[in-house]
Amino acid sequence: MDSKVRDITLQYLDGYSVCDYCIGSLQKISKPPLDLIEEMLISAYGLDKVILTFGAREAIGLVMRGVVGHGDYVIVDQNRHYSSILAVESVGAEFIEALTTGYPEYVVGADAYKDAIEEGKKKYGKLPALILLTHVDGRWGNVTDAKAVGDVAKQHGVPFLLNSAYSAGRFGFSADKLGADFVAISGHKSFGSSGPIGALLFRSEWSEQLLHESKFYPGKYVETLGCTVRGTAAVSFLEALKILSERLGRWGQEVQRTRDFVSDMEELGCGWDGRGNEIIQSGIKQLGETPKNHDLMYFETPIFDEIAQKHRKKGYFLAEELKKRGVMGVQPGKTKGIKMSIYGLNDEEIKQVINSFKEIINAG
Amino acid sequence: MDSKVRDITLQYLDGYSVCDYCIGSLQKISKPPLDLIEEMLISAYGLDKVILTFGAREAIGLVMRGVVGHGDYVIVDQNRHYSSILAVESVGAEFIEALTTGYPEYVVGADAYKDAIEEGKKKYGKLPALILLTHVDGRWGNVTDAKAVGDVAKQHGVPFLLNSAYSAGRFGFSADKLGADFVAISGHKSFGSSGPIGALLFRSEWSEQLLHESKFYPGKYVETLGCTVRGTAAVSFLEALKILSERLGRWGQEVQRTRDFVSDMEELGCGWDGRGNEIIQSGIKQLGETPKNHDLMYFETPIFDEIAQKHRKKGYFLAEELKKRGVMGVQPGKTKGIKMSIYGLNDEEIKQVINSFKEIINAG
């Protein structure tokens, strides 16, 4: 979290002060200017309307409730977040998976969606009610070709929901150009905002299906029970949006650093034969698309798994050894594979991360 | 917010660290011991099961989705939060109001529920699907006789939902003894926790109607899309629960202070005839039940409204003048009536509040 965002968040930590100025909807509050959130999101990512939610999953949930009915089915990519399936189940619908290419890249493309639609038509005798694509998945950090999937959706006349929890806030794109009808966003995942906060961007033609105004409390939407997000997270998100262009501007640099980091990590996993000849042992191998186009990395790490088997702390040794060296965020107990990101770290800190892994390998 | 609660909250402000230790449900995480939240809530307030939510309104929303169907109707008290009506509308149901006694006390009792049930039976030809009582309402701060309403619900065999957003965390009660099937709780409203966080306590016989496990992700509930609350708020709530007994223990003292404060405020609104005889002008009059049984107060304040009419800042003068004197929380622009609480203030601070009002009256 950027220090400016943090400062403002702390001022509102006790929450609710913004409600003193409410005129019916948190999104319309002008003091602090929470009403700018809507404008800023639309100007950054396109489409017509915004509704704030607790996170991307709740944005996806709103779309399912509005667009997908009992007995319908949805196409989802195999890399989707588990909560996308729960959202499908929550409306009594079913789903067909658009499959990945499998190990080692796990890429999902437009062809997989075409296949899934054909499968769905055979199984259900109709088109899907919705196509959901996880723009960037949370495991491999693969950046999908959303435009190509959007084109498939358009060809079939099926509404297209893009889960941008790991893309919006990291890099720029135009939801209109990608052909999305809905974009689910996460403030705490990719904008450096305190959470829980997210948003659903959508085309205005879906308004009536998505949101119904209360008959008794004008301006309040039934589907969100009036307000979802409360003050602290909204104020934090607003601050994060103010520095969005700075984040988006350094995306190329972040991706380059990630690629360099992958090289350095994979090199750590290589062995030597004692005569100076490198033996590729694949002790550390990045999975997902190569080269990387996103900061989320997944490494298959047999080298750490081997150490874990001999280590008295077993699988927990890795997270603990890293923590001792100030490296946080690797999931305790996991050594077969690790998920990580160096987003926002400077060169010195990145070197420190690489050196920590090196020391742990040498000690093992 | 207690300083201990605040400290812990800050440590987790960036959120999500608790997810590293997740084994399928945030409520089951034992490091930090979020799994204690369930136990602590049940041991404090009774019933059998707990599901964490973003707040009381979402807890109420869960009950509506599980228990109330399209075409059903619900009895709600006239003092309910607006979001309770939105929750009714969200499932396509209707409602009948249990009316208050009106000005000046606005009390809702069991008789009002009996009348509403009779009205409902006439109008819909059936019993209500649910009875909702706002245990303490957010406007007048009236403490209702929940046991009496629970008895009415029991007599008619209708499930009973108690909205305890302003009671649980303030004072102790046994949901079982009150006859509640469901209790909606707010962590950020009454427990001094950072939000958004709440909970639904419920009798185990309702489990199957309320929550459905995903067919694809065991242990994850479809209705909550897996997890609702994320890490920071959960950690904060846990800390708040650790000091709950201290809060509950000083409730009598808080109520007494509130009563004394009401006397002091009402005295400020009294005029004198210049010969030492008091003239009751009702310049400040506490509305809602008297004497107070809760810290939330509502004052009718014609005295400030009169000043506002002459003041160049109009209705905004009051909040501004109070702010200058370090008194926060009065809604800007309002002078006809003000909502306030002195919960948690010490004698010195309370004196400061009273003196601030006094100075403003004298200056006006």
Side-chain angles (χ1 to χ4, degrees):
Chain A
M1 202 182 290
D2 180 271
S3 64
K4 265 183 286 180
V5 179
R6 201 177 173 89
D7 285 351
I8 298 285
T9 308
L10 293 187
Q11 291 175 28
Y12 281 85
L13 186 61
D14 290 321
Y16 279 75
S17 340
V18 306
C19 297
D20 287 348
Y21 295 89
C22 190
I23 50 162
S25 162
L26 181 123
Q27 282 183 229
K28 303 291 174 202
I29 291 172
S30 59
K31 193 176 169 186
L34 301 180
D35 52 355
L36 293 180
I37 293 176
E38 237 172 288
E39 273 174 60
M40 288 166 124
L41 282 174
I42 289 173
S43 109
Y45 290 104
L47 301 189
D48 308 312
K49 299 214 168 188
V50 175
I51 185 101
L52 292 179
T53 63
F54 287 114
R57 78 176 74 189
E58 287 83 5
I60 293 167
L62 265 183
V63 177
M64 294 294 168
R65 284 182 73 180
V67 174
V68 182
H70 198 275
D72 282 341
Y73 75 99
V74 177
I75 310 285
V76 298
D77 56 293
Q78 211 184 351
N79 285 339
R80 84 282 159 170
H81 191 256
Y82 79 88
S83 61
S84 298
I85 299 300
L86 269 61
V88 174
E89 291 182 83
S90 76
V91 295
E94 301 194 11
F95 65 92
I96 300 272
E97 283 183 322
L99 300 178
T100 74
T101 54
Y103 184 91
E105 294 215 70
Y106 299 97
V107 168
V108 177
D111 286 343
Y113 276 83
K114 286 181 196 161
D115 293 347
I117 291 172
E118 289 314 309
E119 192 188 332
K121 278 159 63 180
K122 262 186 221 156
K123 188 169 175 189
Y124 300 103
K126 62 178 179 181
L127 283 168
L130 182 75
I131 285 178
L132 184 155
L133 172 67
T134 313
H135 198 182
V136 174
D137 71 276
R139 181 151 197 196
W140 320 112
N142 286 352
V143 180
T144 58
D145 185 351
K147 171 80 171 70
V149 177
D151 287 346
V152 172
K154 203 173 194 174
Q155 282 153 22
H156 290 83
V158 176
F160 178 36
L161 163 58
L162 193 65
N163 178 4
S164 297
Y166 291 107
S167 56
R170 286 296 209 249
F171 58 85
F173 61 86
S174 156
D176 295 284
K177 285 190 185 150
L178 300 182
D181 293 275
F182 313 98
V183 176
I185 278 177
S186 172
H188 47 265
K189 279 208 160 83
S190 297
F191 284 81
S193 167
S194 181
I197 192 162
L200 180 69
L201 272 66
F202 57 100
R203 291 192 199 273
S204 51
E205 59 254 46
W206 294 104
S207 298
E208 282 183 27
Q209 259 180 272
L210 285 182
L211 296 168
H212 298 88
E213 215 175 315
S214 166
K215 281 181 223 153
F216 307 95
Y217 297 94
K220 309 267 189 199
Y221 293 116
V222 160
E223 285 78 5
T224 58
L225 300 178
C227 277
T228 53
V229 170
R230 314 316 204 251
T232 316
V235 168
S236 185
F237 194 30
L238 173 64
E239 286 309 304
L241 283 167
K242 288 184 190 165
I243 55 171
L244 177 62
S245 62
E246 186 269 316
R247 282 172 82 84
L248 302 184
R250 66 183 162 82
W251 180 242
Q253 190 190 335
E254 292 286 353
V255 171
Q256 190 52 55
R257 282 173 183 218
T258 301
R259 290 179 179 187
D260 295 345
F261 184 85
V262 166
S263 298
D264 290 347
M265 282 291 283
E266 290 191 331
E267 204 176 301
L268 291 183
C270 295
W272 301 85
D273 67 357
R275 272 168 295 170
N277 299 314
E278 190 176 335
I279 304 163
I280 303 295
Q281 290 184 328
S282 273
I284 297 178
K285 180 180 162 65
Q286 180 245 315
L287 301 186
E289 63 179 346
T290 46
K292 293 285 322 161
N293 292 307
H294 195 275
D295 63 288
L296 286 182
M297 297 172 272
Y298 186 95
F299 293 104
E300 185 181 46
T301 52
I303 198 166
F304 295 123
D305 207 40
E306 266 173 41
I307 299 174
Q309 280 163 31
K310 303 175 281 186
H311 205 283
R312 65 179 178 82
K313 299 223 164 178
K314 297 291 172 201
Y316 288 88
F317 91 95
L318 183 60
E320 279 188 26
E321 290 293 329
L322 285 169
K323 196 175 168 183
K324 272 187 212 163
R325 292 166 175 84
V327 179
M328 311 296 280
V330 168
Q331 205 171 352
K334 300 252 164 120
T335 52
K336 280 195 189 348
I338 55 177
K339 252 175 76 170
M340 54 185 304
S341 166
I342 52 160
Y343 187 89
L345 298 189
N346 64 34
D347 290 342
E348 201 56 45
E349 290 162 335
I350 295 172
K351 204 178 282 174
Q352 166 67 11
V353 175
I354 286 289
N355 283 337
S356 300
F357 279 109
K358 197 175 201 168
E359 282 174 29
I360 294 167
I361 291 171
N362 290 341
Chain B
M1 202 182 290
D2 181 90
S3 64
K4 266 185 284 180
V5 179
R6 199 176 174 89
D7 285 352
I8 298 284
T9 307
L10 293 187
Q11 290 174 29
Y12 281 84
L13 186 61
D14 289 321
Y16 277 74
S17 341
V18 307
C19 297
D20 287 348
Y21 295 89
C22 189
I23 50 163
S25 162
L26 180 124
Q27 282 183 230
K28 302 292 175 202
I29 291 173
S30 60
K31 195 180 165 183
L34 301 180
D35 52 355
L36 293 179
I37 292 176
E38 236 171 288
E39 273 174 60
M40 287 166 123
L41 282 175
I42 290 173
S43 110
Y45 290 104
L47 302 190
D48 309 312
K49 300 214 167 188
V50 176
I51 185 99
L52 291 179
T53 63
F54 287 115
R57 77 176 76 187
E58 287 81 6
I60 292 168
L62 266 182
V63 176
M64 294 293 167
R65 284 182 73 179
V67 173
V68 182
H70 198 276
D72 280 342
Y73 75 99
V74 176
I75 309 285
V76 298
D77 56 293
Q78 209 183 353
N79 286 339
R80 84 280 160 170
H81 192 254
Y82 80 87
S83 62
S84 297
I85 299 300
L86 269 61
V88 174
E89 291 183 83
S90 77
V91 296
E94 301 193 12
F95 65 92
I96 299 272
E97 285 183 321
L99 300 177
T100 73
T101 53
Y103 185 91
E105 293 216 70
Y106 299 96
V107 169
V108 177
D111 285 341
Y113 276 82
K114 284 182 197 161
D115 292 347
I117 292 173
E118 289 313 310
E119 191 188 332
K121 277 159 65 180
K122 263 186 220 156
K123 185 168 177 190
Y124 300 102
K126 61 179 179 182
L127 281 169
L130 182 74
I131 284 177
L132 184 156
L133 172 67
T134 313
H135 198 180
V136 174
D137 71 276
R139 181 150 198 198
W140 319 112
N142 285 352
V143 181
T144 57
D145 185 351
K147 171 83 172 65
V149 177
D151 287 346
V152 172
K154 204 173 194 174
Q155 282 153 22
H156 289 84
V158 176
F160 179 36
L161 162 58
L162 193 63
N163 177 4
S164 297
Y166 290 107
S167 56
R170 286 294 209 251
F171 58 86
F173 61 85
S174 157
D176 295 284
K177 285 191 187 150
L178 300 182
D181 293 275
F182 313 97
V183 176
I185 277 176
S186 172
H188 46 264
K189 278 210 159 85
S190 297
F191 285 81
S193 167
S194 181
I197 193 163
L200 180 69
L201 272 67
F202 57 100
R203 291 192 199 274
S204 51
E205 58 254 47
W206 294 104
S207 297
E208 282 184 28
Q209 261 181 268
L210 285 183
L211 296 167
H212 298 87
E213 217 176 314
S214 166
K215 282 180 219 153
F216 308 94
Y217 298 93
K220 308 266 190 200
Y221 293 117
V222 160
E223 284 77 6
T224 58
L225 300 177
C227 277
T228 54
V229 169
R230 317 313 206 253
T232 316
V235 168
S236 184
F237 194 31
L238 174 64
E239 286 310 304
L241 284 166
K242 287 183 189 165
I243 55 170
L244 176 62
S245 61
E246 186 267 316
R247 281 174 81 83
L248 302 185
R250 64 184 163 83
W251 179 241
Q253 190 190 335
E254 291 286 355
V255 171
Q256 190 52 56
R257 281 173 184 220
T258 301
R259 290 179 179 188
D260 294 344
F261 184 85
V262 166
S263 298
D264 291 347
M265 282 291 283
E266 291 192 330
E267 204 176 300
L268 290 184
C270 295
W272 301 85
D273 67 359
R275 271 167 296 171
N277 299 315
E278 191 176 334
I279 304 163
I280 303 295
Q281 290 185 328
S282 273
I284 298 178
K285 179 179 164 66
Q286 180 245 317
L287 301 187
E289 64 179 345
T290 47
K292 294 285 321 163
N293 291 308
H294 194 275
D295 62 287
L296 287 182
M297 296 171 274
Y298 186 94
F299 293 103
E300 184 180 44
T301 53
I303 198 165
F304 294 124
D305 207 40
E306 265 173 44
I307 299 174
Q309 282 164 28
K310 302 175 282 186
H311 205 284
R312 67 180 176 81
K313 300 219 164 182
K314 298 291 171 198
Y316 289 88
F317 91 94
L318 182 61
E320 279 188 28
E321 290 294 327
L322 286 169
K323 197 175 169 185
K324 272 189 212 162
R325 292 166 174 84
V327 179
M328 312 295 279
V330 168
Q331 204 169 351
K334 300 250 165 121
T335 51
K336 281 199 191 338
I338 55 177
K339 253 174 76 169
M340 55 184 305
S341 166
I342 52 161
Y343 186 89
L345 299 189
N346 64 33
D347 291 341
E348 200 57 43
E349 290 162 335
I350 295 172
K351 204 178 285 175
Q352 167 68 12
V353 175
I354 287 288
N355 283 336
S356 300
F357 279 109
K358 197 177 203 167
E359 282 173 30
I360 294 167
I361 290 171
N362 290 342

